[in-house]
Amino acid sequence: MEEFEIFDDYLNDKMTFEKRLGFEQQLLENPALKLSFNDYKVALELLRFQGLKNEVEKSNKEYQNRKESKFSFPTIKIAALIIFGLLTFSTFWINLTEGVDLLENVPIAYIEPNQRGNAEEKQHAEFLYLTKDYEGLIKLYDSSNEPTEKLEFLTAMAYFNEKDYNKVLELIEKLELRSKTNVYKNEIEFYKCQSLIGLNKYAEAEGMIQKMEETNPYKSTFDWIYIAKIKILAWKESFF
Amino acid sequence: MTLYLASKEKEILSKLKSNSELNTCLKYLYKEYFGFLEGMILNNSGSKEDAEDVIQETFVALIQIIQNNKFKGESSLKSFLYAVAKNIWLGKLKKHKAEYMRANIWVESNPKFEADIQEQLSKNEALSLISNVLSTLGSVCKVILQKFYYEELSLKEILAFTDFENEQVLRNKKAKCMKSLTEKLNQQPHLKESLYKALRIF
């Protein structure tokens, strides 16, 4: 039996009582054995200490790694929160978007110019339009046997102000037939689109905007929010 | 909650004492006390790295004290850990006198267990100083000795981790490794002597 195994048996209490006494006697009588036994005990202490140290070091590494991964968690949380916030905001925005907003927040409105139309009719029709006598203007149009393009357009504008969008579209249709000389082309496109919005036909209105030529100054007044709102309303229209 | 903590603490202490599920116990200690002990070091002119080192040494000492039956539960585990960490940190600060003077303001000695802690820390310091001899051992020896004396595996179990033919060959190798280790310790007589003193081996 190796000397170390005897030491192990003694330290682990694996000796019989007699053997134990004998070993202790040997330790007292043999200084070399005593020294060897003490060195063995020191070596054991060292091995156990190092083993425990390694185990704690391992646990420390695991803990630090877990902590690091926890640190990245708030970033994910914040990102999720932002996405959730944006989704909530978008949902609210989509729900709150109504066609009325588009008509109320028109970025541009027609202003009657001085240089267009027949002089006599222009004076009367223009006066009625500028004084916002839309009913009078409509009566003038109804009583006119051969209304001019100018009267037809101003009447369409009168109907628009009266929110009778079907009539606006009816008159715009007539105006579109005068395509050769149509000086109100830009306005016709714009107000046709607005009337379609008034009639909750958002998909058609969106199509109108897309078809508008870039040279039409009315087109450039539609900002991205306005376009986004029409798109949302068109999307809602397809569902309900 | 306090009740749960108290019973959990009791369970951990009992496992540490019997040296079972050490990894689980360490996980618990890190989870429950790392932040608290780190705060103490950071508030007393220590860095995060200092805190990590001190806490590791604290847990090593705590486990040894518990296994040597020196922790009788007269105080909570938290207070005891605080006392161990405080002693370790002060020991380190002594090397930087100015900071030690400042840190001395916040310490409050607890004579109840201060002596036991100091004794264990002295042992660990002496062991640390001589621990470099282990790194001079061959890797096979390190594995065999660690598994046999620290993990307390049998030769039969260790055989699976090695290329040795049978237990007898492994037994002989283990004896050689142990002999080599004691010889290496004898090559550092001064460190060995202080270790003998710290371990009270005469």
Side-chain angles (χ1 to χ4, degrees), chain A residues 185-206:
Chain A
K185 190 175 173 284
N186 293 337
E187 286 82 3
I188 283 170
E189 280 183 335
F190 179 71
Y191 282 101
K192 190 176 179 181
C193 170
Q194 294 299 301
S195 301
L196 286 168
I197 291 170
L199 292 170
N200 302 330
K201 293 178 176 175
Y202 304 109
E204 263 187 77
E206 193 201 344

Side-chain angles (χ1 to χ4, degrees), chain B residues 40 49 60 65 102 112 132 147 157 159-160 170 182 196:
Chain B
M40 181 194 85
E49 288 74 26
V60 168
I65 292 169
R102 230 180 305 142
K112 269 190 212 165
N132 64 320
K147 294 217 177 284
E157 286 167 314
L159 200 60
L170 180 60
T182 50
Y196 265 60

Side-chain angles (χ1 to χ4, degrees), chain B residues 2 9 57 62 100 121 152 155 187 193:
Chain B
T2 319
E9 199 174 296
E57 287 179 40
L62 171 84
Y100 176 66
L121 296 184
E152 295 179 349
L155 287 173
Q187 283 163 13
E193 199 180 321

Side-chain angles (χ1 to χ4, degrees), chain A residues 35-67:
Chain A
L35 190 67
S36 180
F37 181 59
N38 284 347
D39 283 352
Y40 182 77
K41 281 198 287 185
V42 167
L44 281 190
E45 284 284 345
L46 186 60
L47 285 166
R48 283 172 186 155
F49 172 71
Q50 195 57 45
L52 183 57
K53 229 173 122 179
N54 291 345
E55 195 145 352
V56 173
E57 256 173 41
K58 203 176 113 196
S59 290
N60 178 59
K61 267 185 199 161
E62 280 172 11
Y63 177 75
Q64 299 305 334
N65 288 341
R66 271 202 306 275
K67 221 167 61 163

Side-chain angles (χ1 to χ4, degrees), chain B residues 22-43:
Chain B
L22 206 54
N23 191 261
T24 313
C25 296
L26 281 165
K27 263 187 194 165
Y28 174 84
L29 291 176
Y30 267 100
K31 188 172 159 259
E32 293 299 319
Y33 302 112
F34 184 89
F36 163 67
L37 296 172
E38 187 188 43
M40 181 194 85
I41 306 297
L42 295 179
N43 287 332

